[in-house]
């Protein structure tokens, strides 16, 4: 996408609005980030009360980091360094409510005598916290919670089995009494804290009189309820997003709050309808799916840029990947810029050449860390897996260490992170190479080096080791082969493209995308953005700048071919 050196007329109109709640419905690639950051700066200049803050909220750490960098650059560009221009806050929605509500005030409703701390679900002490579904017990940390009709509904498992509220709330309360909360229960405790302490809402509304929420289609019922409380107590909330990119329906985030917000009394409703990312032929397909009439800022490209479809065989991915590689080369796009997108992590792993880890428990965590480092080059994931392994070997009292390591605050935590990072990075003296035979070579080295690391952590940071280290480090389910082996595709000259899920790249701009769809996903894409599956296909399509390729199962290609061509996709070759 060509860099936007200034604001368009559409963007300028939104940025220049007077203070007050607004709703902005934006198409993909319309410069939402630039618009949101510029609007944030304008809001801060218009708001003259230096004792309160203007806040911009989003839903991922990556987005927040982007906003912070963009805002800092905008302030530098304007040559302004006044205290008022700097009096902004940029955070995730969950980070905002955790920092302002849960951690400082949640202990009152949780009944704990410590600052509440986040648990990921793998901490050993959680084994004693379970919830009964009437037939069997589940980990309390696996509970999901959703606000429906003013009350929380509690479910567990992939089938979302409903747990009796009295059972679930008793289990959550027991966990809360030790100060622990999960990602799912955090919003439950925030909601209860705000309902029990309405004076806190007055304080928050005075401190944050203007709140701008980006990616507002991802607002679920719990976040909406919290925002509604703030609105009732005086905060002016503005939303910007794209309802067609609402792909978190499992969290009841269907874009409905954003879609209806512009019709509220006192809310100013606006559109962003120019796509700066994709070539016109890709935008043409997007317009067919959404029924919108957005326009492309880019000029038509000569050659093989555009939107195509190809067949694939799930048992032999080589030909489809080879065709994708050929399309990239013929379009003059560096093959290293191509990305495979899938609906699930498992499918992405298959198409990206990832291999399953070996071992069980903490050993599997370390195995996954080695694979993430050596095969995928994903050091943050390797670090996270190694942290889980280390914490699994510590005494139960260190259960809150997971969230502390993730935040990285405090002198001891910084040193602890550094020690684990050093272990993860160094295959010679730390986490052994995944090219070693797992059971006979990799495992003995792992045991010796992990024990040395634990002794270091015990001596330097006072951490207590857990019991039964030998059992926890057993080589159960390790095989007599390396953790990773050379993928077959490499032997036939096919590029090993990076693969990801659609959810993980939402908000990204990619040069070329191969979207691998199953039959029902193709049907959903063709039916438009009325369903979550259709919206996921739309998100995959609109990530692409120059080349989009839809991979359709070979067995059903004939069934869909006419419809694919009707929405603007061309048959490759």
């Amino acid at each position: 996408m060509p860099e936007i050196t200034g604001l368009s007329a559409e963007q300028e109109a939104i940025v220049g609005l007077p203070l007050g709640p607004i709703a902005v419905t934006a198409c993909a690639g319309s410069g939402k980030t630039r618009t949101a950051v510029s609007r944030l700066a304008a809001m801060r200049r218009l708001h003259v009360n230096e004792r309160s803050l203007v806040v911009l909220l989003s839903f991922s750490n990556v987005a927040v980091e982007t906003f912070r960098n963009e805002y800092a650059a905008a302030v530098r560009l304007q040559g302004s360094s006044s205290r008022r221009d700097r009096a902004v806050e940029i955070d995730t929605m969950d980070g905002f409510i955790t920092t302002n509500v849960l951690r400082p005030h949640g202990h009152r409703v949780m009944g704990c005598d410590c600052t509440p701390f986040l648990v990921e679900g793998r901490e050993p002490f959680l084994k004693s916290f379970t919830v009964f579904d009437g037939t069997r017990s589940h980990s309390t940390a696996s509970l999901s919670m959703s606000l429906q009709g003013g009350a929380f509904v509690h479910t567990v498992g992939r089938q979302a089995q409903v747990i009796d509220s009295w059972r679930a709330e008793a289990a959550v309360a027991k966990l809360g009494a030790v100060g622990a909360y999960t990602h799912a229960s955090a919003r439950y405790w925030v909601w209860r804290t705000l309902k029990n302490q309405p004076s806190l809402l007055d304080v928050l509304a005075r401190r944050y009189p203007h709140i701008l929420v980006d990616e507002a289609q991802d607002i679920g019922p719990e976040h909406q309820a919290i925002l509604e409380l703030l609105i009732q107590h005086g905060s002016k909330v503005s939303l910007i997003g794209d309802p067609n990119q609402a792909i978190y329906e499992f969290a009841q985030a269907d874009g409905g709050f954003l879609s209806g917000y512009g019709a509220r009394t006192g809310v100013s409703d606006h559109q962003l309808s120019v796509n700066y990312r994709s070539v016109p032929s890709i935008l043409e397909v997007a317009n067919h799916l959404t029924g919108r009439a957005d326009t492309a800022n880019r000029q038509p490209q000569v050659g093989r840029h555009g939107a195509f479809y190809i067949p694939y065989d799930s048992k032999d991915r080589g030909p489809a990947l080879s065709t994708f590689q050929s399309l990239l080369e013929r379009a003059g796009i560096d093959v290293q810029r191509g990305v495979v997108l899938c609906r699930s992590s498992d499918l992405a792993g298959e198409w990206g050449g990832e291999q399953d880890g070996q071992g069980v428990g903490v050993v599997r965590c370390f195995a996954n860390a080695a694979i993430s480092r050596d095969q995928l080059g994903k050091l943050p994931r390797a670090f996270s897996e190694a942290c889980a392994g280390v914490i699994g070997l510590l005494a139960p009292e260190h259960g809150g260490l997971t969230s502390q390591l993730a935040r990285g605050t405090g002198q001891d935590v910084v040193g602890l992170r550094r020690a684990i990072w050093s272990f993860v990075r160094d295959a010679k003296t730390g986490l052994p190479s995944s090219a070693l035979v797992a059971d006979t070579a990799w495992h003995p080295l792992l045991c010796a080096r992990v024990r040395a690391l634990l002794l270091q952590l015990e001596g330097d940071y006072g951490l207590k080791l857990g019991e039964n280290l030998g059992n926890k480090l057993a080589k159960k389910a390790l095989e007599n082969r390396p953790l990773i082996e050379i993928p077959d595709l490499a032997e036939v000259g096919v590029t090993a493209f990076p693969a990801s899920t659609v959810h993980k790249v939402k908000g990204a701009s990619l040069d070329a995308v191969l979207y691998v769809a199953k039959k029902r996903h193709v049907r959903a894409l063709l039916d438009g953005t009325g369903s979550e599956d259709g919206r996921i296909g739309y998100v995959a399509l609109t990530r692409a700048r120059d080349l989009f390729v839809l991979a359709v199962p070979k067995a059903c290609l004939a069934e869909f071919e006419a419809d694919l061509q009707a929405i603007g996709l061309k048959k490759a070759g």
Side-chain angles (χ1 to χ4, degrees):
M1 180 180 72
E3 184 178 353
I4 305 172
T5 56
L7 295 173
S8 69
E10 258 185 348
Q11 295 165 345
E12 186 65 56
I14 293 167
V15 171
L17 289 169
L19 278 176
I22 63 174
V24 180
T25 302
C27 70
S30 58
K32 291 191 295 293
T33 298
R34 175 65 59 86
T35 305
V37 168
S38 299
R39 175 60 181 168
L40 178 67
M43 290 167 67
R44 181 61 261 181
R45 289 193 299 272
L46 291 168
H47 184 63
V48 297
N49 184 351
E50 296 185 9
R51 294 184 178 182
S52 58
L53 299 174
V54 174
V55 62
L56 170 60
L57 303 176
S58 193
F59 290 87
S60 74
N61 291 323
V62 173
V64 166
E65 189 64 24
T66 299
F67 280 125
R68 287 173 177 167
N69 292 337
E70 290 270 352
Y71 183 78
V75 170
R76 287 195 300 270
L77 186 64
Q78 294 167 1
S80 174
S81 60
S82 71
R83 177 182 176 185
R84 190 174 69 185
D85 281 329
R86 295 195 304 271
V88 303
E89 193 169 300
I90 301 173
D91 205 345
T92 63
M93 176 70 77
D94 282 331
F96 174 75
I97 60 177
T98 299
T99 299
N100 287 285
V101 182
L102 184 54
R103 289 181 61 79
H105 305 286
H107 64 278
R108 296 186 179 93
V109 293
M110 294 171 70
C112 57
D113 57 3
C114 63
T115 300
F117 60 89
L118 174 69
V119 292
E120 298 289 344
R122 296 181 289 190
E123 291 81 355
F125 82 94
L126 293 176
K127 292 180 180 178
S128 60
F129 293 90
T130 60
V131 59
F132 190 62
D133 67 4
T135 303
R136 67 185 184 91
S137 295
H138 305 265
S139 170
T140 303
S142 67
L143 275 174
S144 296
M145 307 178 191
S146 61
L147 189 61
Q148 300 178 21
F152 276 89
V153 175
H154 306 79
T155 59
V156 69
R158 291 189 175 183
Q159 303 302 317
Q161 179 182 351
V162 176
I163 305 291
D164 291 335
S165 294
W166 66 271
R167 294 183 191 272
E169 292 187 3
V172 173
K174 179 182 175 182
L175 185 59
V178 301
Y181 65 89
T182 64
H183 288 289
S185 65
R187 293 185 284 275
Y188 166 81
W189 287 120
V190 169
W191 168 253
R192 285 196 53 187
T193 299
L194 292 176
K195 294 293 285 186
N196 290 351
Q197 303 175 56
S199 60
L200 179 57
L201 283 162
D202 294 325
V203 173
L204 289 173
R206 286 195 299 270
R207 180 167 175 77
Y208 300 103
H210 298 284
I211 300 173
L212 174 60
V213 184
D214 179 57
E215 300 291 353
Q217 73 277 354
D218 295 336
I219 296 173
E222 298 83 37
H223 286 144
Q224 178 178 345
I226 292 167
L227 288 172
E228 297 279 20
L229 288 174
L230 288 168
I231 291 171
Q232 292 170 17
H233 285 256
S235 292
K236 307 297 183 184
V237 173
S238 296
L239 308 179
I240 180 170
D242 180 3
N244 292 312
Q245 294 187 56
I247 59 173
Y248 294 102
E249 199 165 280
F250 62 87
Q252 288 77 50
D254 59 3
F257 185 36
L258 171 62
S259 297
Y261 194 63
R264 293 192 180 190
T265 302
V267 177
S268 182
D269 193 26
H270 299 271
Q271 298 276 330
L272 287 175
S273 60
V274 179
N275 184 308
Y276 295 90
R277 176 186 298 148
S278 303
V279 294
S281 51
I282 292 177
L283 181 60
E284 176 188 348
V285 178
N287 282 339
H288 272 288
L289 300 180
T290 63
R292 290 174 60 96
D294 299 314
T295 57
N297 179 262
R298 296 182 61 185
Q299 297 299 311
Q301 302 293 307
V302 178
R304 300 295 294 179
H305 292 69
F308 302 87
Y309 65 91
I310 62 172
Y312 78 91
D313 184 343
S314 61
K315 297 181 180 180
D316 185 8
R317 302 184 299 275
L321 292 172
S322 180
T323 300
F324 184 48
Q325 181 174 326
S326 296
L327 288 170
L328 284 162
E329 292 170 346
R330 293 172 65 181
I333 303 171
D334 185 346
V335 294
Q336 301 299 320
R337 308 295 292 177
V339 176
V340 177
L341 296 183
C342 304
R343 285 294 315 276
S344 70
S345 297
D346 290 343
L347 193 60
E350 292 176 14
W351 281 79
E354 292 186 23
Q355 298 173 37
D356 291 335
Q358 300 181 40
V360 296
V362 296
V363 173
R364 187 177 183 87
C365 290
F366 288 119
N368 288 336
I371 291 172
S372 296
R373 178 194 64 193
D374 299 339
Q375 183 187 34
L376 309 177
K378 296 181 178 179
L379 285 174
R381 183 195 293 185
F383 174 74
S384 177
E385 291 283 357
C387 285
V390 169
I391 293 170
L393 297 171
L394 298 176
E397 65 193 69
H398 299 302
L401 195 56
T402 300
S403 59
Q404 295 177 42
L405 286 169
R407 294 195 304 272
T409 56
Q411 184 174 357
D412 285 348
V413 174
V414 170
L416 181 58
R417 281 173 56 92
R418 186 178 296 115
I420 298 176
W421 267 114
S422 297
F423 174 81
V424 170
R425 290 178 182 274
D426 192 348
K428 293 182 178 180
T429 62
L431 183 65
S433 169
S434 55
L436 298 173
V437 175
D439 61 347
T440 59
W442 182 82
H443 180 257
L445 285 176
L446 175 74
C447 290
R449 294 175 184 179
V450 164
R451 288 180 183 274
L453 174 64
L454 292 175
L455 290 175
Q456 176 191 349
L457 301 182
E458 183 181 36
D460 292 348
Y461 304 102
L463 300 182
K464 296 181 181 180
L465 306 186
E467 299 177 352
N468 302 318
L469 293 187
N471 291 336
K472 292 178 180 177
L473 287 170
K475 63 178 180 181
K476 182 180 180 181
L478 288 178
E479 302 175 24
N480 189 237
R481 63 176 178 86
L483 292 176
I484 59 172
E485 297 176 299
I486 299 174
D488 293 338
L489 291 176
E491 299 176 2
V492 295
V494 177
T495 297
F497 293 102
S500 182
T501 64
V502 177
H503 287 83
K504 289 181 179 178
V505 300
K506 189 169 74 72
S509 291
L510 306 171
D511 286 351
V513 167
L514 173 65
Y515 174 47
V516 180
K518 295 183 178 181
K519 180 178 179 178
R520 68 180 184 277
H521 304 143
V522 178
R523 181 70 269 163
L525 175 71
L526 290 167
D527 288 342
T529 56
S531 69
E532 184 182 40
D533 282 338
R535 293 191 292 272
I536 289 173
Y538 168 79
V539 169
L541 167 73
T542 55
R543 298 314 91 199
R545 285 190 284 257
D546 300 317
L547 179 67
F548 173 78
V549 182
L550 174 66
V552 181
K554 183 184 297 184
C556 63
L557 179 61
E559 177 183 343
F560 294 126
E561 197 151 18
D563 291 337
L564 292 170
Q565 293 178 9
I567 67 170
L569 291 169
K570 299 177 182 178
K571 186 174 183 178

